[in-house]
Amino acid sequence: AVVSTQSAITPGLREREHGVAMHRQFQHDLYRLRLTTARNFAEALQKKMMPISSSNFAPLKLSANVQGIGPMFRLTIEVMNTSTSHPILGAYVVLVTNDTLYVLEKCYISLPLLVPSLTYTVNTMVRCTSDQGITDAINVFVYIKGKCSPVLTAIIDMPASESMIVV
């Protein structure tokens, strides 16, 4: 009982003796965390790697879902115009991936007129050509015709393809 009491008293004494220094270190670590978070957020905004665009002319929201256990997957992409009053015309989705691992049914998908507050769903099939269990990512870019940089960017990590089960 003496050992456990002593182990409980020691941190308390250390906190009393070095409380100011410990608080200063905590504040410094919290400052560094906030700085790192702000830098990463600014980088994500600059590279348009957010699920919601920060653009005033094309406020869009993107979500993606992968279904299947392989080697065939269904990639479902949902795009929503978050504007309250302005429709968006001329939007399209471009999919880019490693051609040695995946074959895409469609790599360019034109979107219809995006009416505000409606979600538009597009699907494409993805076939994994590797039987080694290697995975990679699919990059999704949403462009507006006439603009040279994407409005939205997403990276979809593909799951491992299940092997054929022989019974």
Side-chain angles (χ1 to χ4, degrees), residues 101-131:
L101 290 178
Y102 300 108
V103 175
L104 297 169
E105 178 186 46
K106 296 180 249 177
C107 58
Y108 174 91
I109 304 168
S110 183
L111 297 172
L113 175 72
L114 300 176
V115 178
S117 302
L118 289 181
T119 301
Y120 295 85
T121 303
V122 293
N123 296 305
T124 188
M125 297 303 290
V126 180
R127 184 171 51 88
C128 180
T129 58
S130 171
D131 58 355

Side-chain angles (χ1 to χ4, degrees), residues 26-145:
F26 171 77
Q27 290 292 333
H28 180 266
D29 292 345
L30 185 60
Y31 166 75
R32 300 271 306 166
L33 177 65
R34 288 179 178 159
L35 179 64
T36 302
T37 302
R39 282 181 180 160
N40 289 341
F41 184 69
E43 181 182 350
L45 282 176
Q46 183 181 24
K47 292 182 178 180
K48 297 179 177 60
M49 303 245 342
M50 305 285 288
I52 299 175
S53 75
S54 58
S55 149
N56 290 335
F57 68 89
L60 297 174
K61 178 180 166 186
L62 173 76
S63 65
N65 187 16
V66 178
Q67 299 169 331
I69 58 173
M72 290 297 292
F73 298 98
R74 175 186 298 266
L75 178 60
T76 304
I77 300 167
E78 294 180 344
V79 179
M80 179 182 182
N81 178 357
T82 59
S83 170
T84 56
S85 60
H86 301 324
I88 298 173
L89 181 62
Y92 56 96
V93 176
V94 176
L95 304 170
V96 179
T97 190
N98 183 345
D99 293 340
T100 60
L101 290 178
Y102 300 108
V103 175
L104 297 169
E105 178 186 46
K106 296 180 249 177
C107 58
Y108 174 91
I109 304 168
S110 183
L111 297 172
L113 175 72
L114 300 176
V115 178
S117 302
L118 289 181
T119 301
Y120 295 85
T121 303
V122 293
N123 296 305
T124 188
M125 297 303 290
V126 180
R127 184 171 51 88
C128 180
T129 58
S130 171
D131 58 355
Q132 304 296 319
I134 301 170
T135 64
D136 203 355
I138 295 178
N139 297 320
V140 180
F141 302 102
V142 178
Y143 286 92
I144 303 293
K145 287 186 180 162

